[in-house]
Amino acid sequence: MAAFISNLYEKLATATSETRAPYVEMNSEIKKLERSLFKIQDVLTDASQKEITDQSVKRWLNELQHLAYDIDDVLDDIATEAMHRELTGELETDTSKVQSFSKVNDMNTKLHVLIEQKDALGLVVKEEYRSKNNNRRLQTSMVDASSIIVGRQAEKEALVHKLLTLYEEQQVEDHFELKAWVCVSNEFDSFRISKIIFQSVGGVNKDGYPDLKLLQIALMDHLRGKRFLFVLDDVWSESYEDWETLVDPFHACAPGSKIIMTTRTDKLLKMLGYNDLNKLKSLAHDDALSLVALHALGVNNFDSHLLLKPHGVGIVEKCERLPLSLKALGRLLSTKNDEEVYWKQVLDSEIWTLPVEGEIVPALKLSYHDLSARLKQLFGYCSLFPKDYVFDKEELVQLWIAEGFLQQPRPSDSTQECLGHEYFDELLSRSFFQHEPNNESLFVMHDMISDLAISVGGVFFSRLEKDIKKEALEKYRHMSFLREEYVAYKKFKSYKGAKSLRTFLTTSVGMVECSDCFYFSNKILVDLFLELPLLRVLCLSSFKISDVPESIGTLSHLRYLNLSRSTITQLPESVCNLYNLETLIVFGCHGLAKFPNNLLKLKNLRHIDIRDTWYLNETPLGIGDLKSLQTLSKIFVGGEGGFEITNLKDLQNLCGKISIAGLEKVQNAIHAQEANFSQKRFSELEVVWSDVSDGSMNEMHEKEVLNELKPRNEYLKQLQVISYGGLEFPNWVGDPSFLRLNYVSIRGCKKCTTLPPLGQIPALKKLFIEGLDSVKVVGTKLLGTGPAFPSLEILSFGNMRGWEKWSMNSGVVFPCLQQLTISNCPNLVEVTLEALPPLSVLYISGCGSGVLRRLVQVASSFTKLEIHSISGLNDVVWRGVIEYLGGVEYLRIMYCNEIRYLWESEAVVCKAKKRRKIIVGATC
């Protein structure tokens, strides 16, 4: 509330300018609003503390919030109308003036009533208490707790023992060939769970499977003969039939496979015959105290903080030694670790005495109430997300901005996006968010944190999961709903009463895959635009929507439009009437071929995501005039619109991910220089030339162009160079000053005769080199001077048809390499590597047998070997290879038809089995 009022106060100050309120009477009314809000703003700290126990104050705050929303809508109308007049040259009508004046006058009347009520409630001016050491979180609170187990060591060892049975000498990571983790939650959807498992264990799912039966047949084939470990987390279902359906493909696995199920109800497990269950108890007192110290102080005890220890002991008991509560409070206290007074305030808080709502423990409420007003607002927005919803950091920050939550009160060098990232990181550090187990770049909320978000979202946020009374619907400002395969029209009839709604957000449980299909009636879409005029956020991602009605242009407040993965073929011209639009996402709209012609009217547009739009082969007209643009995922030089690379020079805020295609059409390197890449903060850069060679490309010209496309080195994380036509790379490709660069892919650069010195990039983890037909030798040029590839984990060479020699001098090379792939390099005959580090995976395909033999010799050990179409691999050569496979646990041989046998005797076979070698798909 306080954050929203603060933003509103700033808007009022802006609204009195000549362009916003061009006549005296309106200015006077807006000034009244400004003065009234100032009086209320002073008592909000007191109100936010008293609302915890005083329902009257809570109701007053709710009424104030509703009124603040209405004021914000009116100010937005005035500002949008001003933008319209500026673009069209039209004059404001007297009718419009009277309507605006009347609305603002009405707001003043209602606000005056609330001011009188605040005095009756006894609200007083009070400063918000904030820690004097608030930056402490940057030092000791960011403990890597994921690598530290407190108080669960015995349970961990017992579980490992059960999992390994006869393999006690090995750890789980080494023992199981396939592993998958799935959060099941309330809805036991066998199709969704099977799909996640299939993809987690490396199943190919390009076209998707239309039904559960076909998916499970594919899963069964993939599991056959392999030892797996599956974790089914947070199972609520008590249906034996659901379980039988899910595990049917698992019967094809190898002996020793295991399933771990976590659940809050043991009924299903008992039906399955498991009565000796592991029920986690509260932590022991000393372990609980250690956990608080770890997260609050960065150490595992209170020996150096004796004054705080009594308060820590009290907090441990009040948390009933529950790990999540202790962790949350530890993070809360980490910013006040030297403030004994604050620790005592936490211990003595009256929140501990309040009734427990569902599963929301008091410790989590304390963590929430300690947040700043801004962080409370941002976290409350997450109440729209269902349990187990997987979200992206960038996406959430863009939603916060669209809702107006990150308005900055004064000019600043920092963007709203940077501010949003800082707030996100703080919520993450305080355990309100956590990393998704299968993907560190995505995030989820713990179930109890999700319950907390719902409780603080109150009457303003709702998930459309059941019928809602009309009276409640009229009050909601933000709403989300779960995607369904077929969305019936009647489900949205109730929206006719939701005139004040600002947010219409589609969500899902878990990840949404490209093959998932959701269908949405066009009639719903038409009615939606007419019934919800105040929308700021509209997300209809992944629905099979083919046409966007022209009426979308009436949503004048809209800031965020997400139509990603829909089946639209074009956007209507009326989209250009959305003057406030900041984010436009059409990612994955494979059929999209046309953008509106007047995009230049969208002066506030900051983010356009047009990745994976296969039929869009030119840059939308007017892009170069959108000075606010920060992300523009894809650019085509040339095309019917004749987009010039020089058009990028005025887009000074461009950053993030970008792909630039058609670089063969850049006529002069000076034009590339004018694009000013050296000042742009790209984190991911892809540069693409045409792969069709007509003989007109000048190698020196191509090098000069690429040389001018060097981005700022302190930001770049990923680089892809595709079909570049030069003979060699400019010096910046491989420059060690790119300290954050961790991924490089160079593909289809057929004229290049040498590789750049990528070995000196300090953070490079993944390197893919493919289709460089003119490279004959890979050696010292790639390594550079000094120890090479200090961080490289994955190295892949593919389709290097001219490659003959791989030579590495002695020295430190590839110390961290885990996976090496060499495929379709038929002329590679000489490999002079002295040694490779212990690898996890070695994959060789389409090469000669000499390459295979040399690589298995120089690799000190590897656990997985895949070979495919190795020429000259006969029994004699194979006999020399197999002696180096002592540590291999997984072996796959395909299309090596000159081998007649794998082992010479049964004794060798038995020895291999003892070493747990797994033979898969050998077609000899």
Side-chain angles (χ1 to χ4, degrees):
M1 162 57 76
F4 195 94
I5 295 294
S6 176
N7 286 345
L8 194 55
Y9 188 78
E10 295 294 331
K11 275 191 174 183
L12 285 165
T14 304
T16 55
S17 68
E18 185 177 352
T19 55
R20 297 299 189 224
Y23 54 98
V24 175
E25 293 86 351
M26 178 65 82
N27 268 344
S28 177
E29 286 299 311
I30 290 177
K31 283 290 186 184
K32 284 182 187 177
L33 278 177
E34 202 174 347
R35 289 192 295 270
S36 297
L37 274 183
F38 185 76
K39 293 177 183 178
I40 282 182
Q41 200 171 10
D42 286 344
V43 301
L44 287 181
T45 297
D46 187 36
S48 67
Q49 294 170 1
K50 289 179 177 176
E51 72 163 324
I52 297 170
T53 56
D54 191 329
Q55 288 299 310
S56 297
V57 174
K58 190 175 185 67
R59 283 192 294 272
W60 180 84
L61 281 172
N62 282 344
E63 288 181 30
L64 176 60
Q65 179 72 76
H66 282 302
L67 182 56
Y69 275 125
D70 291 339
I71 295 172
D72 191 45
D73 289 335
V74 171
L75 293 177
D76 210 45
D77 277 331
I78 295 172
T80 304
E81 179 64 26
M83 280 191 284
H84 174 73
R85 293 196 305 272
E86 185 180 337
L87 283 167
T88 62
E90 296 177 8
L91 298 175
E92 186 176 16
T93 65
D94 290 338
T95 302
S96 175
K97 287 181 181 181
V98 170
Q99 287 176 343
S100 297
F101 179 82
S102 177
K103 288 178 181 178
V104 176
N105 182 265
D106 183 49
M107 302 293 119
N108 264 318
T109 302
K110 291 178 179 178
L111 197 54
H112 182 71
V113 173
L114 289 175
I115 289 174
E116 291 180 342
Q117 289 177 355
K118 82 173 174 62
D119 297 328
L121 291 168
L123 299 177
V124 297
V125 177
K126 184 182 288 187
E127 281 192 29
E128 184 180 12
Y129 175 83
R130 303 307 301 164
S131 168
K132 292 178 290 185
N133 196 21
N134 205 35
N135 287 328
R136 185 64 183 172
R137 66 184 176 86
L138 301 176
Q139 301 168 28
T140 60
S141 67
M142 298 300 287
V143 178
D144 183 12
S146 62
S147 62
I148 302 171
I149 296 176
V150 177
R152 297 296 193 205
Q153 193 63 37
E155 288 91 339
K156 174 198 168 187
E157 291 175 357
L159 179 59
V160 171
H161 179 76
K162 284 186 176 182
L163 289 175
L164 299 180
T165 314
L166 301 176
Y167 302 92
E168 294 90 346
E169 79 286 353
Q170 295 292 326
Q171 291 298 305
V172 175
E173 184 70 22
D174 299 326
H175 177 66
F176 296 102
E177 181 184 340
L178 301 176
K179 294 178 285 292
W181 181 98
V182 184
C183 184
V184 179
S185 195
N186 307 53
E187 184 181 2
F188 196 100
D189 184 340
S190 297
F191 189 79
R192 179 182 72 85
I193 298 169
S194 299
K195 183 188 295 184
I196 294 173
I197 291 173
F198 185 55
Q199 292 171 342
S200 297
V201 299
V204 178
N205 190 21
K206 290 183 179 178
D207 301 319
Y209 293 92
D211 57 38
L212 178 62
K213 182 178 180 181
L214 291 175
L215 173 61
Q216 290 200 324
I217 290 173
L219 178 58
M220 184 184 297
D221 289 341
H222 202 73
L223 297 178
R224 195 178 306 281
K226 300 175 186 175
R227 190 165 51 233
F228 69 70
L229 169 65
F230 291 161
V231 179
L232 299 178
D233 190 19
D234 198 19
V235 177
W236 289 55
S237 173
E238 298 178 348
S239 168
Y240 185 83
E241 289 74 20
D242 283 347
W243 177 259
E244 285 288 292
T245 301
L246 176 67
V247 302
D248 190 51
F250 298 174
H251 299 298
C253 69
S257 297
K258 304 291 181 182
I259 298 175
I260 298 176
M261 181 196 296
T262 68
T263 180
R264 304 182 192 192
T265 170
D266 58 9
K267 185 175 178 180
L268 177 58
L269 285 169
K270 287 183 176 178
M271 279 192 278
L272 296 173
Y274 296 97
N275 294 307
D276 183 20
L277 304 176
N278 289 341
K279 294 187 177 181
L280 289 177
K281 301 176 181 178
S282 296
L283 294 178
H285 175 83
D286 289 346
D287 290 328
L289 195 61
S290 178
L291 191 62
V292 172
L294 182 66
H295 287 281
L297 306 171
V299 293
N300 60 9
N301 58 56
F302 282 87
D303 291 353
S304 57
H305 302 271
L306 294 178
L307 291 176
L308 300 178
K309 186 172 182 178
H311 307 305
V313 170
I315 287 168
V316 161
E317 294 310 312
K318 287 196 172 184
C319 286
E320 298 179 348
R321 292 170 282 128
L322 295 173
L324 180 63
S325 298
L326 295 169
K327 183 179 176 183
L329 277 188
R331 294 291 178 90
L332 182 160
L333 294 165
S334 66
T335 59
K336 296 99 179 173
N337 62 350
D338 295 321
E339 298 180 31
E340 184 187 359
V341 173
Y342 186 79
W343 282 60
K344 187 176 187 304
Q345 285 178 358
V346 170
L347 181 59
D348 296 339
S349 172
E350 55 190 1
I351 289 179
W352 296 109
T353 65
L354 296 176
V356 176
E357 302 173 29
E359 297 192 20
I360 306 171
V361 294
L364 299 184
K365 288 186 178 180
L366 270 167
S367 294
Y368 169 76
H369 284 289
D370 180 71
L371 296 176
S372 67
R374 179 74 65 213
L375 285 172
K376 286 178 181 177
Q377 181 185 42
L378 300 178
F379 172 68
Y381 189 77
C382 298
S383 64
L384 294 174
F385 302 158
K387 289 182 178 178
D388 305 317
Y389 179 70
V390 180
F391 54 93
D392 174 79
K393 180 178 180 179
E394 295 284 348
E395 179 185 15
L396 180 53
V397 169
Q398 288 173 7
L399 287 169
W400 284 342
I401 292 171
E403 301 288 2
F405 295 161
L406 298 176
Q407 297 292 335
Q408 293 169 296
R410 60 187 63 84
S412 169
D413 291 336
S414 177
T415 64
Q416 290 185 51
E417 285 77 7
C418 290
L419 193 61
H421 288 174
E422 290 177 16
Y423 286 135
F424 186 101
D425 290 341
E426 182 153 1
L427 288 169
L428 178 64
S429 75
R430 290 170 175 256
S431 300
F432 287 94
F433 303 149
Q434 60 190 46
H435 289 281
E436 201 272 335
N438 293 322
N439 190 332
E440 280 288 298
S441 66
L442 298 174
F443 301 87
V444 293
M445 291 191 296
H446 189 281
D447 280 1
M448 289 201 292
I449 296 293
S450 181
D451 290 336
L452 175 66
I454 293 173
S455 73
V456 302
V459 298
F460 305 103
F461 298 85
S462 177
R463 305 173 189 169
L464 186 60
E465 296 175 351
K466 55 185 177 181
D467 291 334
I468 301 172
K469 293 181 179 178
K470 183 179 179 182
E471 307 80 56
L473 195 65
E474 290 174 350
K475 295 289 186 180
Y476 286 128
R477 306 289 174 152
H478 312 275
M479 190 168 286
S480 66
F481 76 101
L482 280 171
R483 294 181 184 89
E484 299 172 5
E485 185 174 1
Y486 296 99
V487 179
Y489 177 75
K490 65 179 182 179
K491 182 167 186 173
F492 292 95
K493 279 187 177 180
S494 57
Y495 270 91
K496 293 183 182 298
K499 299 289 186 182
S500 299
L501 209 61
R502 291 170 161 235
T503 307
F504 189 89
L505 187 69
T506 56
T507 59
S508 60
V509 176
M511 297 288 292
V512 175
E513 303 299 333
C514 296
S515 56
D516 293 336
C517 294
F518 306 97
Y519 296 92
F520 203 84
S521 161
N522 194 58
K523 180 172 173 53
I524 295 175
L525 208 57
V526 172
D527 286 1
L528 201 65
F529 297 160
L530 297 176
E531 298 294 335
L532 307 179
L534 298 178
L535 280 184
R536 281 157 171 75
V537 167
L538 177 59
C539 174
L540 297 172
S541 173
S542 299
F543 279 101
K544 300 301 179 183
I545 299 168
S546 55
D547 295 305
V548 180
E550 283 284 343
S551 56
I552 193 172
T554 64
L555 301 179
S556 59
H557 297 265
L558 201 64
R559 264 82 171 168
Y560 179 99
L561 177 60
N562 187 340
L563 299 170
S564 61
R565 292 178 174 172
S566 65
T567 52
I568 60 173
T569 57
Q570 63 179 22
L571 289 170
E573 231 10 87
S574 61
V575 165
C576 300
N577 296 331
L578 304 176
Y579 305 135
N580 287 303
L581 195 65
E582 296 170 343
T583 299
L584 175 59
I585 302 175
V586 288
F587 159 71
C589 295
H590 302 321
L592 180 65
K594 189 175 187 305
F595 256 67
N597 293 322
N598 292 307
L599 216 60
L600 56 84
K601 293 165 65 176
L602 303 181
K603 301 297 184 184
N604 291 307
L605 204 56
R606 304 152 77 96
H607 307 283
I608 303 180
D609 190 348
I610 53 177
R611 290 172 298 150
D612 290 349
T613 48
W614 300 340
Y615 289 98
L616 191 67
N617 53 17
E618 62 178 1
T619 303
L621 290 172
I623 285 291
D625 295 313
L626 303 181
K627 303 298 189 293
S628 298
L629 267 186
Q630 293 182 27
T631 53
L632 176 58
S633 54
K634 188 164 62 173
I635 293 172
F636 301 92
V637 177
E640 290 184 14
F643 185 86
E644 300 285 346
I645 197 168
T646 53
N647 294 146
L648 299 176
K649 64 183 177 183
D650 293 328
L651 303 183
Q652 298 179 4
N653 299 314
L654 272 188
C655 59
K657 307 172 185 177
I658 193 166
S659 171
I660 305 178
L663 285 168
E664 72 281 356
K665 296 171 185 173
V666 176
Q667 298 297 315
N668 195 310
I670 294 176
H671 297 160
Q673 183 184 48
E674 290 176 6
N676 205 16
F677 271 46
S678 62
Q679 297 303 312
K680 291 182 168 47
R681 297 171 287 114
F682 295 131
S683 60
E684 298 182 19
L685 174 62
E686 180 183 80
V687 288
V688 186
W689 284 255
S690 171
D691 60 356
V692 178
S693 178
D694 58 3
S696 64
M697 293 180 70
N698 181 294
E699 293 86 356
M700 182 57 67
H701 169 67
E702 302 305 323
K703 181 180 178 181
E704 291 171 352
V705 170
L706 181 56
N707 188 52
E708 298 298 343
L709 298 180
K710 177 185 177 183
R712 287 178 63 172
N713 54 14
E714 65 264 42
Y715 293 96
L716 193 66
K717 295 180 181 178
Q718 294 191 18
L719 173 65
Q720 297 189 63
V721 182
I722 302 173
S723 300
Y724 162 64
L727 296 178
E728 60 181 5
F729 292 89
N731 292 335
W732 72 262
V733 182
D735 191 328
S737 64
F738 287 95
L739 299 178
R740 304 179 70 186
L741 184 59
N742 58 55
Y743 176 102
V744 172
S745 175
I746 300 176
R747 308 195 305 273
C749 306
K750 296 180 180 179
K751 291 187 176 182
C752 286
T753 57
T754 61
L755 295 174
L758 300 167
Q760 297 304 300
I761 301 175
L764 186 61
K765 290 186 176 182
K766 298 179 181 180
L767 174 59
F768 299 89
I769 299 174
E770 181 179 347
L772 273 68
D773 292 347
S774 300
V775 171
K776 293 185 177 181
V777 178
V778 174
T780 55
K781 177 73 173 177
L782 177 66
L783 301 181
T785 304
F789 295 107
S791 304
L792 195 69
E793 297 174 357
I794 297 176
L795 174 61
S796 176
F797 293 98
N799 298 314
M800 303 280 286
R801 300 192 176 277
W803 188 17
E804 299 173 358
K805 180 179 180 181
W806 188 10
S807 175
M808 295 291 182
N809 296 332
S810 60
V812 181
V813 181
F814 309 129
C816 299
L817 194 64
Q818 298 175 11
Q819 180 175 320
L820 173 61
T821 298
I822 299 180
S823 61
N824 298 324
C825 302
N827 292 310
L828 179 60
V829 293
E830 184 177 349
V831 178
T832 56
L833 303 179
E834 291 194 359
L836 288 172
L839 299 175
S840 297
V841 180
L842 178 59
Y843 178 89
I844 306 173
S845 169
C847 299
S849 59
V851 174
L852 169 64
R853 182 161 185 172
R854 181 56 184 160
L855 287 176
V856 297
Q857 286 175 342
V858 298
S860 56
S861 66
F862 45 93
T863 56
K864 182 175 181 178
L865 174 64
E866 294 192 44
I867 57 177
H868 189 292
S869 303
I870 305 298
S871 62
L873 184 57
N874 55 33
D875 293 334
V876 175
V877 177
W878 177 247
R879 192 180 301 120
V881 169
I882 199 170
E883 65 179 285
Y884 296 98
L885 307 187
V888 170
E889 295 183 2
Y890 175 95
L891 174 62
R892 182 180 179 89
I893 306 175
M894 298 293 290
Y895 303 109
C896 298
N897 299 322
E898 296 178 59
I899 303 178
R900 290 176 298 169
Y901 57 85
L902 296 178
W903 287 279
E904 295 181 358
S905 67
E906 289 188 14
V908 177
V909 174
C910 292
K911 187 177 180 182
K913 287 181 178 178
K914 287 181 181 179
R915 290 174 177 168
R916 304 195 310 281
K917 294 183 180 179
I918 303 173
I919 312 300
V920 180
T923 56
C924 304

